[in-house]
Amino acid sequence: MSKKEIPLSVDALNALTETYPTPFHIYDERGIRENARLLQKAFSWNSGFKEYFAVKATPNPYILSLLKAEGFGGDCSSYPEMVLCDKVGMRGEDVIFTSNDTPAYEYAKAKEMGAIINLDDISHIAYLEDHVGLPELVCCRYNPGPLKGGNVIIGKPEEAKYGFTREQLFEGYLQLRDKGVKRFGLHTMVASNELEVDYFVETAQLLFELVAELSRTLGITFEFVNLGGGIGIPYRPEEEPVDLLALGEKIRVLYETSIVQAGLAPLDIRLECGRMVTGPYGWLIGRVLHKKETYKNYIGLDACMANLMRPGMYGAYHHVSIAGKEQASCDYLCDVTGSLCENNDKFAIDRSMPDVEVGDLAIIHDAGAHGHSMGFNYNAKLRSAELLLRENGEVVQIRRAETMDDYFTTLDFNGFEQFVV
Ligand SMILES: *Cc1c(COP(=O)(O)O)cnc(C)c1O
């Protein structure tokens, strides 16, 4: 039994597969919008609050434009991600460019768009100045190192490749100030898929104190702090979602004492969450192709790691249910697999499933972020379609499935014959 749900009946899903063959990803517009509104509400006390959706989580213009309509901006870390934001009308400072190991042409694009540039390293101050010129507003990414505990996906901050050390921040903002930069932001991103409210409250405290110290020491004014992304989602049925209203309220209290009373307001709160925005509102649907019983039991799907890498890549848990058998008892212990020639192509290992039959539809939950977008073409597997369940119940295709021609399009079938003599 599971409290994980999908807003489509087994019949509706089966009917959909007649138009859109499995596997496919499907997203729920209503769920995404309601959640977006809750986040806005949680921080409505901060007049400059903005969430910059981490584009990499679900880089689809339909999803981005509905998030834009809810007041979100975009967080990009590559040129094409900036182009996607531009295409849906996210412009100027509604886009933040948080990259690392960045080539100059990407900075040039960010500057041309008027996006906020978030520098990952002190050497990039001179690099940005030399290659594209410094913009009026610059943000720097802080890596607190041993001052902050890490978590599994992102690891310990001091082992993470991102950001400036504390000393480098003081030196970096000094350089920026002396080079004529007038407007400043401070950023950090230390957690990924974190479910503890207090973890983010501590991060906010760390940044508020740092803003106070940097402002005092350097005589500069900060416009915003960006607390990064990393708000987790309850991938496991027994987990609870982060209470966004409680999070907003705790940060508000801290803001009153650390920012308002220190005379540092207004300071805008920014976030750049991806996972919590779309993750729970997307599902990967695949059909059971095969049951196999050897040393273990296996249920083989027509979806594979090319559609959802997280279980294979991080051993991440994704809940799997069988359409129409949500209430059945789960007594069949098995691995749920894909078809790649890689033994880690498993959506679930030693999972108790209901009595599954070939032809059933498997629903892989919480695949709305870092799902389709992490997909790859190993084993010449083609990436699946993305569908959107509209608020009126209509289903639209927002990305078609790849075809074999897409896969072959970068190959030159005319050249190779002359080459091999
Ligand atoms: C990936 C990433 C995010 C989004 O992370 P989520 O876990 O999806 O919230 C935000 N900011 C940066 C810099 C990232 O790399």
Side-chain angles (χ1 to χ4, degrees):
M1 298 254 281
S2 149
K3 65 175 183 184
K4 290 270 172 201
E5 288 173 349
I6 181 168
L8 285 162
S9 67
V10 57
D11 292 341
L13 279 173
N14 268 311
L16 261 186
T17 64
E18 284 167 23
T19 316
Y20 307 109
T22 51
F24 56 76
H25 283 77
I26 186 162
Y27 307 101
D28 174 27
E29 176 172 356
R30 182 190 307 274
I32 292 173
R33 283 188 185 270
E34 285 176 358
N35 184 51
R37 288 175 195 162
L38 188 65
L39 184 66
Q40 297 284 30
K41 186 172 168 209
F43 287 92
S44 57
W45 55 268
N46 187 260
S47 61
F49 172 75
K50 197 162 193 83
E51 149 71 12
Y52 293 83
F53 176 65
V55 172
K56 70 174 188 234
T58 322
N60 187 297
Y62 287 75
I63 303 288
L64 293 183
S65 63
L66 75 87
L67 292 173
K68 176 177 183 284
E70 296 298 337
F72 287 12
D75 168 38
C76 303
S77 58
S78 68
Y79 196 112
E81 288 182 352
M82 287 188 274
V83 171
L84 262 179
C85 284
D86 196 39
K87 283 190 185 289
V88 303
M90 288 177 179
R91 300 275 152 74
E93 293 179 13
D94 284 351
V95 176
I96 183 164
F97 182 56
T98 296
S99 58
N100 66 92
D101 196 5
T102 313
Y105 75 93
E106 294 196 329
Y107 279 136
K109 173 69 180 170
K111 187 156 180 257
E112 171 213 306
M113 281 179 73
I116 299 170
I117 294 180
N118 186 18
L119 296 177
D120 183 71
D121 184 44
I122 193 163
S123 69
H124 275 206
I125 295 172
Y127 184 76
L128 181 62
E129 184 180 32
D130 292 348
H131 290 85
V132 301
L134 289 170
E136 185 192 56
L137 166 65
V138 176
C139 183
C140 298
R141 179 173 185 163
Y142 174 41
N143 181 334
L147 293 180
K148 186 86 184 146
N151 77 5
V152 230
I153 294 184
I154 218 165
K156 287 189 190 160
E158 67 264 46
E159 313 236 336
K161 64 175 179 170
Y162 311 111
F164 293 52
T165 66
R166 194 179 155 84
E167 293 70 36
Q168 286 172 342
L169 273 188
F170 281 82
E171 171 60 24
Y173 285 110
L174 178 68
Q175 284 181 22
L176 289 165
R177 183 197 72 184
D178 292 347
K179 289 175 190 292
V181 171
K182 295 274 178 287
R183 302 172 54 209
F184 300 94
L186 173 65
H187 168 277
T188 196
M189 162 98 188
V190 282
S192 187
N193 195 32
E194 177 60 53
L195 287 169
E196 283 299 322
V197 164
D198 287 341
Y199 190 92
F200 296 99
V201 178
E202 279 166 28
T203 303
Q205 180 160 17
L206 201 72
L207 290 195
F208 290 166
E209 284 168 4
L210 194 52
V211 156
E213 210 178 319
L214 285 163
S215 307
R216 236 187 358 257
T217 312
L218 302 172
I220 60 176
T221 304
F222 282 83
E223 291 186 12
F224 67 85
V225 288
N226 184 332
L227 306 177
I231 296 182
I233 60 172
Y235 284 104
R236 293 174 185 270
E238 67 273 17
E239 290 172 336
E240 292 297 328
V242 170
D243 182 343
L244 295 176
L245 296 179
L247 176 66
E249 177 56 18
K250 283 190 171 190
I251 293 181
R252 186 190 67 74
V253 169
L254 202 63
Y255 185 92
E256 283 297 321
T257 50
S258 324
I259 298 299
V260 177
Q261 286 177 24
L264 296 168
L267 180 71
D268 298 341
I269 307 288
R270 306 279 166 86
L271 290 174
E272 49 186 36
C273 291
R275 188 185 317 275
M276 64 81 56
V277 176
T278 51
Y281 313 104
W283 298 263
L284 170 61
I285 311 295
R287 208 175 274 286
V288 177
L289 281 185
H290 184 182
K291 272 180 87 173
K292 170 168 182 164
E293 297 179 350
T294 54
Y295 305 101
K296 294 182 86 170
N297 299 327
Y298 298 97
I299 295 176
L301 306 186
D302 59 4
C304 69
M305 218 177 143
N307 310 109
L308 181 67
M309 270 179 92
R310 299 188 67 260
M313 184 154 151
Y314 315 114
Y317 182 96
H318 275 265
H319 197 69
V320 184
S321 61
I322 300 295
K325 297 184 176 171
E326 290 84 355
Q327 305 307 323
S329 61
C330 293
D331 301 323
Y332 187 68
L333 189 69
C334 61
D335 289 3
V336 181
T337 74
S339 55
L340 287 192
C341 303
E342 277 292 331
N343 197 40
N344 62 347
D345 184 18
K346 295 181 177 177
F347 294 110
I349 296 176
D350 295 331
R351 189 71 59 84
S352 295
M353 297 294 292
D355 183 21
V356 182
E357 286 156 86
V358 168
D360 281 348
L361 285 177
I363 301 164
I364 303 176
H365 296 256
D366 302 304
H370 311 296
H372 187 284
S373 60
M374 255 192 210
F376 63 141
N377 284 125
Y378 189 55
N379 252 180
K381 290 291 175 181
L382 304 176
R383 278 173 294 230
S384 46
E386 293 180 293
L387 311 179
L388 179 66
L389 172 62
R390 304 297 315 269
E391 289 184 290
N392 63 8
E394 189 192 345
V395 173
V396 291
Q397 178 169 263
I398 59 174
R399 184 196 300 268
R400 67 163 172 80
E402 284 178 343
T403 63
M404 220 172 355
D405 285 344
D406 294 325
Y407 181 76
F408 288 143
T409 194
T410 49
L411 295 174
D412 179 5
F413 285 105
N414 297 319
F416 75 97
E417 283 141 331
Q418 292 92 299
F419 181 77
V420 186
V421 283

